[in-house]
Each structure stands twice: as C-alpha cells, then as structure tokens.
C-alpha cells in the first residue's frame, strides 16, 4: 500500500499568500473597471476613450536632447571691431561675459561647453547687438532679434 504525501507547511503558506494577493488585486481593480458594462470608468480622466478627446490632448513630443557636455564654437568676422562678446541665456545675457578671442583680419572666436538643448544668443560688437550671419535660425523675443543654437 502506498503512503499518501500531505502538503508541507511552506506550500500551505504559499497558497494562503497567493489567495490574499489575488483577493487584494481583484478588490482594488473594482475601482477601475465596471464589469457590468465592460468599460473603464475611473481611468477616463487619464486615458480618453474616444478619438476626438485623444487628439485634443495630443502634445507634440519634445525633442530628446543629450545630457553630455559638448563644446560649441561661436565665431564672427567683424573687421575693425575692438571688443566682441557673446550675450546668451546661458551667461545671463552678458552678466557673466564671454569675450571672443581676436584673431587676424577681424575674426573672433570662442568655445562654450553646453549640454543638449536650445540656446538663445546674440553677439555684442563694440556695444551693439549683431546677429550671427551663419545662423539662420532666428526669432524675435520681447522685441529683440536673437539667434537659436540647438545642441543635440
């Protein structure tokens, strides 16, 4: 005659815990689902159920920028200029001045460490704002024309 094995205490504990977890799960899920009409009720504010409300809430995706620091060169040719500075949102529009180094024949250049993103800037040539002639990405902000440098 064969001896019948009985379940061990650990297995019984596992079954009890499984029953408790499933009971909690189904009790919590009743807040989100209406089983009689087979629709989601509470989540309508989070996930719209019709196409029109979904399209109305659509937000254009923000471009993904890299967080790695990259050096970007800013340069300007301004023959006869004595002082050229870079005024930008990353140096508080000249409160922390970045002066471009002068080279021969009126060529000025500097390198700036930037992370990914969009940066607004203009050059100040002897105290007058000058747009970057090599950058055609320009906007008018508060009545001031500025250039946009995009770092990806």
């Amino acid at each position: 005659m064969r001896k019948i094995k009985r379940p061990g205490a650990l297995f019984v504990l596992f079954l009890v815990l499984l029953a408790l977890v499933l009971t909690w799960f189904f009790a919590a899920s009743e807040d989100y689902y209406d089983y009689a009409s087979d629709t989601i009720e509470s989540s309508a504010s989070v996930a719209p159920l019709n196409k029109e409300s979904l399209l109305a809430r659509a937000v254009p995706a923000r471009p993904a920028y890299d967080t790695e620091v990259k050096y970007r060169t800013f340069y300007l040719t301004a023959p006869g200029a004595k002082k050229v500075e870079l005024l930008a949102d990353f140096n508080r529009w000249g409160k922390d001045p970045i002066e471009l180094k002068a080279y021969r024949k009126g060529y000025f250049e500097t390198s700036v460490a930037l992370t990914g993103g969009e940066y607004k800037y203009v050059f100040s040539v002897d105290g007058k704002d000058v747009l970057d002639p090599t950058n055609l990405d320009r906007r008018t902000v508060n009545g001031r024309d500025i250039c946009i440098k995009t770092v990806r």
Side-chain angles (χ1 to χ4, degrees):
M1 180 180 234
R2 286 184 145 195
K3 193 173 186 184
I4 299 174
K5 278 190 162 183
R6 296 187 183 219
L10 195 57
F11 182 71
V12 171
L13 181 64
F14 171 75
L15 288 178
V16 169
L17 285 175
L18 182 65
L20 288 173
V21 168
L22 288 175
T23 304
W24 170 82
F25 175 76
F26 285 117
S29 67
E30 285 181 14
D31 293 339
Y32 298 104
Y33 296 99
D34 181 22
Y35 292 108
S37 62
D38 292 330
T39 60
I40 302 173
E41 283 184 353
S42 306
S43 63
S45 62
V46 178
L49 298 176
N50 58 14
K51 183 179 178 182
E52 291 78 23
S53 59
L54 181 65
L55 291 175
R57 294 178 60 181
V59 177
R62 295 183 64 187
Y65 295 117
D66 192 6
T67 58
E68 179 183 349
V69 175
K70 298 175 183 175
Y71 285 91
R72 294 292 182 230
T73 303
F74 292 87
Y75 59 90
L76 180 71
T77 303
K82 294 182 170 79
K83 183 178 181 183
V84 177
E85 289 183 332
L86 178 63
L87 308 177
D89 54 356
F90 52 81
N91 72 348
R92 301 184 309 156
W93 294 103
K95 291 186 174 117
D96 303 322
I98 298 175
E99 193 167 331
L100 280 74
K101 184 177 178 185
Y103 292 95
R104 292 189 295 168
K105 297 184 180 178
Y107 179 79
F108 294 84
E109 178 180 295
T110 189
S111 267
V112 180
L114 300 172
T115 59
E118 283 190 355
Y119 299 97
K120 301 169 187 75
Y121 72 98
V122 293
F123 293 110
S124 174
V125 179
D126 295 332
K128 294 183 182 178
D129 286 357
V130 175
L131 294 175
D132 187 351
T134 62
N135 188 351
L136 299 178
D137 189 7
R138 299 176 180 173
R139 295 188 194 140
T140 302
V141 177
N142 297 331
R144 183 181 193 184
D145 291 332
I146 57 168
C147 294
I148 307 292
K149 169 108 39 200
T150 304
V151 178
R152 297 199 188 271

